[in-house]
Amino acid sequence: MARDETPVVQVKQMDVEVDYSQVYLVDEGCEAYGHFADMPSRPVGIIRVEKGNALLIVGLQWGEVEFTVAVADRDPGADLDGYEDIVEISYESPSGRLSLQEWGGGKTHPLPPLPAGPGTYRLRYHVRGMDEEVSLEIGSHYFIQIWPEPPCDPVVLKSTSSSFQYWLNPG
């Protein structure tokens, strides 16, 4: 990228309590889902979206996990070396204001405002340590990148964990 094309990125790091391996990305004025079975199809397994909502699956069934969220004005590029599983999916934000929400009405973690306000964005979800044995060795971490982009097909950029394969092809 040329110097003037470097993305403007706002980053927020937080510890998030999870239960039932779930965390929610929720648009202001929308409600988080209570059960992932209620979500529409799962083309990339570990993230499911509907207008104003995204369900993020984590490896840990309950407890605290580290999340980093980067909101950018354009595609900031994937961290292919730092994570084991990486997926992308389109997401529609009615308000342009998002938060990460803990399962069952737990704590809400406000995120930086989306750079283009209401509209369609791309979510890139990076996961490290989805498998329990790997998580104990290297630690788990979850990284979401969000930037404005017209709708396009979901994509699996990287898939190495057995847990990811389970969520991609349950049953």
Side-chain angles (χ1 to χ4, degrees):
M1 271 186 198
R3 189 170 187 76
D4 61 341
E5 294 180 14
T6 302
V8 175
V9 181
Q10 296 182 63
V11 177
K12 183 166 183 181
Q13 297 179 326
M14 64 210 88
D15 293 328
V16 178
E17 287 289 325
V18 300
D19 209 343
Y20 297 99
S21 301
Q22 300 175 40
V23 175
Y24 302 93
L25 181 69
V26 182
D27 195 89
E28 184 176 277
C30 295
E31 292 185 32
Y33 281 91
H35 296 285
F36 61 84
D38 297 337
M39 296 294 286
S41 67
R42 44 186 168 246
V44 290
I46 57 174
I47 186 170
R48 302 171 196 173
V49 298
E50 188 170 271
K51 184 177 181 178
N53 287 290
L55 167 68
L56 307 165
I57 302 292
V58 300
L60 188 66
Q61 184 165 356
W62 59 81
E64 190 173 85
V65 297
E66 293 179 5
F67 262 91
T68 301
V69 179
V71 176
D73 64 344
R74 66 194 73 164
D75 184 350
D79 183 354
L80 295 172
D81 294 329
Y83 294 86
E84 298 160 334
D85 303 304
I86 306 171
V87 298
E88 290 183 7
I89 197 163
S90 295
Y91 173 83
E92 187 176 346
S93 170
S95 74
R97 293 177 300 279
L98 304 178
S99 62
L100 270 186
Q101 291 186 12
E102 298 174 355
W103 188 88
K107 188 174 179 182
T108 297
H109 304 267
L111 301 176
L114 299 179
T120 304
Y121 288 81
R122 193 71 169 169
L123 304 179
R124 184 180 292 130
Y125 186 34
H126 300 70
V127 177
R128 180 178 65 229
M130 190 78 152
D131 292 337
E132 184 176 343
E133 63 277 4
V134 174
S135 180
L136 293 173
E137 288 176 27
I138 64 170
S140 62
H141 188 264
Y142 302 88
F143 177 38
I144 305 166
Q145 295 172 310
I146 306 168
W147 69 94
E149 185 170 294
C152 53
D153 291 337
V155 177
V156 175
L157 296 177
K158 187 175 180 183
S159 166
T160 63
S161 74
S162 58
S163 294
F164 175 81
Q165 288 304 314
Y166 166 80
W167 287 107
L168 190 60
N169 303 299

